[in-house]
Amino acid sequence: MDSNDFFDLFDDFWGQKASNAAYIFDAPAVSCLLYDAFPFRFGVDGPHGTSTAGYEYSTDKFSVALLGKKFTLDSDRESILANFRLADEYCRLRLTDKYLEAFDESHQPSTPV
């Protein structure tokens, strides 16, 4: 998967759920804050044909397993989406329903008056 395909897949999946996204073009990778609460990094290591994903629990220290499941290293589209879904499930389970409702409400498109 080339960098453009990876970034498109990232943007399509996460949309506004990923804030402060820093796109690293030579990796390619993205560091972001999911749900304005959890720092993650996702990427594709082209020369090695692997994907990378992790929850950044300290500066440059990443957890590569969440909820007893490891992020996959496979770099095909479905594997990368599986990594995104695991991160999404992790975040949503750690946030309260009240927070998620407020987050969703604050990220709705505004309607003209």
Side-chain angles (χ1 to χ4, degrees):
M1 175 173 294
D2 70 20
S3 59
N4 288 331
D5 291 338
F6 174 74
F7 293 135
D8 287 345
L9 188 61
F10 176 87
D11 290 338
D12 289 345
F13 184 89
W14 292 110
Q16 294 184 351
K17 294 176 193 172
S19 60
N20 301 323
Y23 294 83
I24 306 159
F25 292 94
D26 57 343
V30 180
S31 289
C32 63
L33 198 58
L34 297 181
Y35 293 94
D36 294 335
F38 301 104
F40 273 85
R41 183 178 296 169
F42 301 99
V44 178
D45 185 1
H48 297 100
T50 59
S51 67
T52 58
Y55 168 63
E56 189 171 13
Y57 62 88
S58 185
T59 304
D60 288 329
K61 293 182 181 177
F62 297 89
S63 176
V64 295
L66 302 172
L67 305 171
K69 301 173 191 170
K70 287 186 177 182
F71 287 111
T72 182
L73 296 176
D74 296 332
S75 61
D76 60 279
R77 184 179 193 283
E78 284 308 310
S79 296
I80 292 169
L81 286 171
N83 285 344
F84 292 168
R85 285 190 291 271
L86 176 56
D88 190 50
E89 179 183 10
Y90 173 82
C91 293
R92 294 184 69 79
L93 286 170
R94 291 203 50 207
L95 297 168
T96 66
D97 290 342
K98 190 173 182 177
Y99 181 95
L100 289 169
E101 287 172 19
F103 180 87
D104 289 342
E105 186 176 306
S106 70
H107 288 82
Q108 293 296 320
S110 58
T111 56
V113 178

